[in-house]
Amino acid sequence: MKEIQYEIVKEIAVLSASDSGYTKEINLISWNGREPKYDIRSFSPNREKCGKGITFNADEAAALLEALQKEVNSGD
């Protein structure tokens, strides 16, 4: 099976960190040399391993941001 390769093009934020050193991050990542996408997933210390995550193109990321802003500002 072909190994999946990735390059973190831009580090955006660490969303959380566990006691074991794993971090949940949002980054701009190029997977297998493709166009970079916004990506949320967990990484082991030193990024030796990564967990399952979710990727967004720019339009999807903008829609997510708008939805989250509405939700946070709704006061519910």
Side-chain angles (χ1 to χ4, degrees):
M1 182 183 335
K2 182 180 174 186
E3 184 177 327
I4 297 173
Q5 296 181 355
Y6 67 92
E7 175 190 0
I8 298 176
V9 176
K10 183 177 182 181
E11 297 177 3
I12 298 173
V14 174
L15 304 174
S16 65
S18 69
D19 292 339
S20 64
Y22 274 76
T23 53
K24 188 176 295 175
E25 303 180 18
I26 181 166
N27 298 302
L28 195 59
I29 296 182
S30 171
W31 293 96
N32 294 324
R34 295 190 179 116
E35 184 75 22
K37 292 188 175 191
Y38 294 95
D39 184 276
I40 299 173
R41 74 183 58 244
S42 60
F43 286 92
S44 67
N46 300 321
R47 294 189 176 131
E48 296 163 347
K49 297 179 185 177
C50 63
K52 291 182 181 179
I54 186 166
T55 60
F56 302 91
N57 64 33
D59 291 338
E60 293 167 333
L64 175 63
L65 177 60
E66 182 179 342
L68 288 172
Q69 286 174 326
K70 285 180 183 177
E71 178 62 25
V72 169
N73 294 329
S74 72
D76 289 339

